[in-house]
Amino acid sequence: MLIAPQFRQWIAAFVGVLFYNGSSWSDGLGEGAVMTVSAMPMPTASPVLDLLATLDETLDEVNAADLSRLDESQLRTLLHGVERVARKAAVASHTTITEISDRGSHTRWGYKRVAQMVVGELKISASDAARRLRVAAATVCMRSFTGEMQEPKHFDLSQAVFDAELSERHADEILKVLEKIPDAVSAEKRERAQRVMTESARDLDPRQIEAVGDRLLAHLDPDGTLTDDADRAKRRGLSLSRQDASMMSKLKGELDPATRAMFDVLFDAWARPGMNNPEDPESPSGSYSDPDTDRDLADAAAQRDTRSAPQRRHDALSAMAAWFIANGTLGSHRGAPAQVVVTMTYEQVMEMAGVATTMSGGLIPVVDALELAKANNLLLAVLDAQGLPMFLGRSRRLASAAQRIAMWINALGCTFGGCTAPFTWTEAHHVTDWSKGGLTDINQLTPACPDHHSMVGDGPEQWQTVIVEHGRYKGRCAWIPPASIDPERQPRINHAHHPEELLEQAWERARTAEDPDRSDPWGG
């Protein structure tokens, strides 16, 4: 059974690297070297934290060292040694997160799920947090219900990660391969596959692991007869990336056979050359097989269609989405109309320039939004100069569609501090609970995602909400943490949906570096 990693091994490994080939600990340090990075402030109430503090100070010394005094052999040794220490640090992070999860500490820190805690506390991306949790679940010793420690799910992989022979990224790529092994494959073969992949990965970079995994999967199920519907069901899924700097998004996923067959039918009809071409005003929209489609017009458009097959499929999906939305059969979602809703300023409408924001948190050029509005009855929410809604909804127990749109204009998403959930994932929260006489007025409503909405209450570990009555964030909702998180219970404003506020605060801190105290209690 593996034991939890000890922080002392980090230091021993790093010291061992510096003494490799007879080099001295002081060979890379200039005389009177000054530490340019301050040591991490932390309580030292346990031997583990003492070790961590020592490691932190040691790394400060290494970072301040004069590397020009190392020869190339020592420099190469340092390169590998630093990577080894970083990998061991990742193992310590895995075991720490596992201990937090076992205790349920994250729920007392204001988080519904462990993944939220990792993102919120460490300020890493959701995808990085998900990878860290996957690797931790597969490689760390788990505690049973009776309190006994159990071996990791994948022992050989765990040992390689623990010994810093494989990185977290290596381990995650191996896990992706192992998850694709059909359930019908025997436990003995699955265990052997884990050992083979772990051994092979020692000589590969993470990108090469997938290719080796494909060969292994082909060996385990050469004719595909072992893969059944349950295996395919586990792998199915579609994911849509965040928009990049050019406002484009990547769509990727895996389709089960039935869905693929239906997509083939749709693309044959909607992605046919000449159909649904946004660059050709004479191109027919809809399906080529529709009896109402002008075939002569479609065939003529096909002769001048220069789009690639992927571009035609993209335009077909866009046309299908527009058709379904315009058809009016989608109803509503969380009280808001299931339509594309965007917000833009009056100046943007007049100038036909700039970028509009969608209710789901996306961006779209104003010109494209207005063009879309002509064809699909798009809802447009026009803002005043302060970015607040011009018109308010009427009171009732459940927020109306108009109130939902007004809430989105004001908050853009969940108002819990640090939460990035877009508005379409939220529920309407009464700042003063309805059962306690709260009003369903626009100035008493705020969007909250289900996870954070459920954390509001009067209990000692629950949060409370208030509407800010003064300062730069007047009218916004602030969340008051329980005393166990913040003894002073300072209200918190969410800036995750308003990056311009973070930039403004950064500028203010830079201008007032000599006096860091802020006069605005709602500075966030």
Side-chain angles (χ1 to χ4, degrees), residues 292-431:
D292 294 332
T293 298
D294 188 328
R295 301 294 180 83
D296 293 335
L297 190 63
D299 292 339
Q303 297 298 318
R304 55 181 181 270
D305 193 342
T306 60
R307 297 173 296 167
S308 65
Q311 289 173 330
R312 294 200 309 272
R313 287 192 288 269
H314 170 278
D315 295 341
L317 280 177
S318 179
M320 282 185 255
W323 184 86
F324 275 109
I325 293 174
N327 199 35
T329 59
L330 297 181
S332 63
H333 175 65
R334 297 187 185 276
Q339 293 177 279
V340 179
V341 184
V342 304
T343 180
M344 62 186 72
T345 65
Y346 177 78
E347 290 76 11
Q348 287 177 319
V349 175
M350 294 297 98
E351 296 175 5
M352 294 285 286
V355 177
T357 305
T358 70
M359 189 178 285
S360 57
L363 301 175
I364 181 173
V366 168
V367 173
D368 292 350
L370 295 177
E371 286 296 323
L372 194 59
K374 296 178 182 178
N376 292 332
N377 191 28
L378 188 75
L379 296 178
L380 295 179
V382 182
L383 310 185
D384 63 11
Q386 285 72 42
L388 297 176
M390 294 179 178
F391 304 98
L392 303 180
R394 59 183 181 275
S395 298
R396 65 181 191 181
R397 184 175 183 275
L398 298 178
S400 67
Q403 288 174 318
R404 291 278 300 174
I405 294 173
M407 279 193 294
W408 162 60
I409 294 171
N410 188 23
L412 300 181
C414 178
T415 53
F416 184 90
C419 184
T420 59
F423 184 83
T424 49
W425 295 4
T426 65
E427 302 165 342
H429 165 62
H430 290 76
V431 174

Side-chain angles (χ1 to χ4, degrees), residues 11 39-40 42-44 47-58:
I11 305 171
M40 181 194 314
M42 63 179 67
T44 55
V48 173
L49 293 182
D50 288 340
L51 290 170
L52 182 59
T54 302
L55 175 63
D56 190 67
E57 294 171 359
T58 300

Side-chain angles (χ1 to χ4, degrees), residues 37-248:
V37 181
S38 60
M40 181 194 314
M42 63 179 67
T44 55
S46 75
V48 173
L49 293 182
D50 288 340
L51 290 170
L52 182 59
T54 302
L55 175 63
D56 190 67
E57 294 171 359
T58 300
L59 291 176
D60 277 343
E61 295 183 36
V62 173
N63 290 338
D66 180 9
L67 302 187
S68 65
R69 301 180 61 180
L70 297 178
D71 60 32
E72 290 191 356
S73 175
Q74 293 171 330
L75 200 58
R76 189 175 188 183
T77 299
L78 181 62
L79 175 67
H80 286 271
V82 169
E83 176 63 22
R84 180 177 178 82
V85 172
R87 292 181 181 185
K88 284 184 172 290
V91 173
S93 178
H94 299 159
T95 56
T96 302
I97 291 171
T98 301
E99 182 67 22
I100 292 171
S101 176
D102 287 345
R103 295 187 186 186
S105 301
H106 58 285
T107 61
R108 292 182 290 278
W109 298 350
Y111 302 99
K112 191 77 171 181
R113 297 190 298 272
V114 177
Q116 291 177 336
M117 181 275 298
V118 175
V119 172
E121 294 292 320
L122 304 184
K123 306 305 178 188
I124 62 177
S125 68
S127 59
D128 286 343
R131 180 174 64 239
R132 192 167 299 186
L133 290 176
R134 284 194 300 268
V135 174
T139 61
V140 174
C141 296
M142 297 293 180
R143 187 177 289 113
S144 66
F145 290 112
T146 60
E148 297 178 353
M149 296 302 293
Q150 300 176 321
E151 287 189 356
K153 183 178 180 181
H154 298 295
F155 185 89
D156 293 273
L157 177 61
S158 176
Q159 190 68 58
V161 172
F162 179 80
D163 292 338
E165 295 175 350
L166 297 179
S167 68
E168 181 181 88
R169 178 74 182 277
H170 281 95
D172 191 45
E173 293 300 323
I174 292 174
L175 292 175
K176 291 178 182 178
V177 173
L178 298 180
E179 290 171 358
K180 294 179 182 179
I181 298 177
D183 290 341
V185 174
S186 67
E188 181 182 357
K189 289 184 177 180
R190 298 171 75 90
E191 181 63 24
R192 189 183 308 150
Q194 184 248 157
R195 291 197 299 269
V196 169
M197 287 302 304
T198 299
E199 183 62 33
S200 300
R202 288 183 169 90
D203 299 319
L204 304 173
D205 67 50
R207 295 175 301 174
Q208 297 170 319
I209 293 175
E210 182 179 7
V212 174
D214 289 341
R215 296 291 297 273
L216 175 66
L217 294 171
H219 173 75
L220 293 174
D221 188 14
D223 54 6
T225 57
L226 296 180
T227 301
D228 58 17
D229 289 341
D231 295 314
R232 287 186 282 268
K234 288 190 299 183
R235 294 175 54 183
R236 77 190 190 282
L238 285 174
S239 61
L240 188 62
S241 74
R242 292 182 178 273
Q243 290 177 291
D244 60 20
S246 60
M247 291 183 282
M248 299 293 285

